Amino acid sequence: MSICYVNGSYEEKTSAAISIQDRGFNFSDGVYEVMSFSGNSVINFDKHVKRLSKSLDSLRIKKPLSNYKSLELILKKLIKENKLDKGFIYLQITRGSCSRNHLFPKLSKPNIVIFTFTAKLDKKFILSGVKVRLTEDLRWKRCDIKSISLLPNVLEKQNAFEEGMYESWQTRNDLITEGSTSNAFIVNRNGFIQTHPANNFILGGVTRDTLIEIAKKNKIKVVEKAFSSSDLFLSREAFLTSTTAKILPVVKINKKNIGNGKPGQMTQALIKMYNELVKCQIHE
Ligand code: PDD
């Protein structure tokens, strides 16, 4: 049994249904969040809620829940019902169901779907690092909205997989924006952490923001400035961040080693610090 939440009711995941007139289904007219949980605690909940609220406002979709305390209660109930110690939550809100017309519907209510899932991260990725390929960023100019429209991301993730790599890092005018499912970082030649600024060309990752906070707290200099492919090849270390992968060392780009081709010291220190911070958020 796996229980999900659909528009106010808790249902078995395999039989839960949403209308074929859902605008997410017809137009990708919706937003989503992926959160992680441990015990009964949703990690970085406030940051996810803030980004969800921004995504909904950007697309002018009404908020289906009166406040985020009720969302937290729903998430906790789902975690309990599904009897999971650790895992992830997928939440999707679309503009609602109505007959197909590009114009916003006048009467429909947003559809909200939430379910839990588990995903095992290969330990090898953390210990030995992952390989990444570079590719052109074909996406629109509002990548800051966590929209459910993910075709370029899906295609580039698949291309990476088929080439035996973990991720594709996308470039605009030779500047690395972000991965197809994660944010991109280097430790540059000066030993500073460098990543693309959180503007409309990237999704402002919750893990990205948390990592930047941790680094600054530990007096590690962070530069939010886009880096080029040559900056990348000359960098000391590289890594990526996302809710599902947390922090993963990147050791090869397009078959070229980064540094000595092994996870870097700074990356390993950041992984430790991040895991400590997550531990502090878990209230069993
Ligand atoms: N993806 N950039 C993109 C394009 C992403 O899809 C994601 C996350 C991130 C990292 O964001 P965060 O740290 O908030 O997870 C950056 C999620 C996990 C997904 O679509 O499954």
Side-chain angles (χ1 to χ4, degrees), residues 36 42-48 51 183 185 193 195 198 203-218 220 222 224 239 241-243 246-247 270-271 273-281:
S36 66
V42 181
I43 310 303
N44 296 324
F45 178 71
D46 293 347
K47 285 189 169 69
H48 282 288
R51 183 173 65 188
N183 289 114
F185 290 77
I193 291 175
T195 192
L203 179 76
V206 164
T207 323
R208 171 194 182 279
D209 292 353
T210 310
L211 179 126
I212 291 175
E213 281 170 22
I214 295 173
K216 287 184 176 167
K217 235 183 232 161
N218 286 278
I220 302 166
V222 181
E224 290 184 67
F239 61 92
T241 63
S242 81
T243 298
K246 297 204 274 188
I247 303 169
L270 288 164
I271 292 174
M273 291 179 217
Y274 187 83
N275 288 340
E276 285 301 315
L277 182 126
V278 167
K279 253 192 222 153
C280 294
Q281 289 189 28

Side-chain angles (χ1 to χ4, degrees), residues 135-143 170-177 196 200-201:
T135 188
E136 194 188 337
D137 197 332
L138 297 174
R139 300 171 304 159
W140 70 333
K141 292 176 187 158
R142 288 306 309 272
C143 302
Q170 303 163 102
T171 62
R172 258 183 215 271
N173 305 321
D174 194 41
L175 295 174
I176 283 80
T177 51
H196 196 285
N200 56 312
F201 291 120

Side-chain angles (χ1 to χ4, degrees), residues 32 34 51 146 153 178-183 205-207 242-243:
Y32 78 107
V34 174
R51 183 173 65 188
K146 202 161 169 66
N153 309 60
E178 62 177 336
S180 63
T181 61
S182 56
N183 289 114
V206 164
T207 323
S242 81
T243 298

Side-chain angles (χ1 to χ4, degrees), residues 117-254:
F117 65 100
T118 53
K120 266 234 143 64
L121 188 68
D122 197 333
K123 273 230 162 72
K124 197 174 71 203
F125 292 155
I126 309 166
L127 298 176
S128 312
V130 296
K131 296 181 211 161
V132 163
R133 67 195 272 280
L134 297 182
T135 188
E136 194 188 337
D137 197 332
L138 297 174
R139 300 171 304 159
W140 70 333
K141 292 176 187 158
R142 288 306 309 272
C143 302
D144 54 316
I145 301 171
K146 202 161 169 66
S147 142
I148 56 172
S149 177
L150 288 171
L151 261 188
N153 309 60
V154 166
L155 294 175
E156 292 307 339
K157 187 74 176 176
Q158 183 65 23
N159 287 339
F161 175 74
E162 288 175 7
E163 289 176 27
M165 306 204 191
Y166 178 81
E167 179 64 302
S168 294
W169 279 6
Q170 303 163 102
T171 62
R172 258 183 215 271
N173 305 321
D174 194 41
L175 295 174
I176 283 80
T177 51
E178 62 177 336
S180 63
T181 61
S182 56
N183 289 114
F185 290 77
I186 55 170
V187 178
N188 68 21
R189 278 177 291 172
N190 301 318
F192 305 151
I193 291 175
Q194 189 170 345
T195 192
H196 196 285
N199 60 18
N200 56 312
F201 291 120
I202 68 158
L203 179 76
V206 164
T207 323
R208 171 194 182 279
D209 292 353
T210 310
L211 179 126
I212 291 175
E213 281 170 22
I214 295 173
K216 287 184 176 167
K217 235 183 232 161
N218 286 278
K219 308 259 182 307
I220 302 166
K221 187 153 181 203
V222 181
V223 187
E224 290 184 67
K225 181 173 179 274
F227 56 88
S228 65
S229 55
S230 47
D231 294 330
L232 174 58
F233 289 118
L234 291 170
S235 67
R236 295 184 188 174
E237 300 179 25
F239 61 92
L240 59 83
T241 63
S242 81
T243 298
T244 41
K246 297 204 274 188
I247 303 169
L248 287 184
V250 171
V251 292
K252 245 183 199 172
I253 309 270
N254 287 354

Side-chain angles (χ1 to χ4, degrees), residues 37-43 79-80 84-87 282-284:
F37 65 87
S38 192
N40 196 25
S41 309
V42 181
I43 310 303
I79 294 170
K80 198 167 164 207
L84 293 168
D85 287 342
K86 261 179 198 293
I282 303 169
H283 315 286
E284 301 289 348

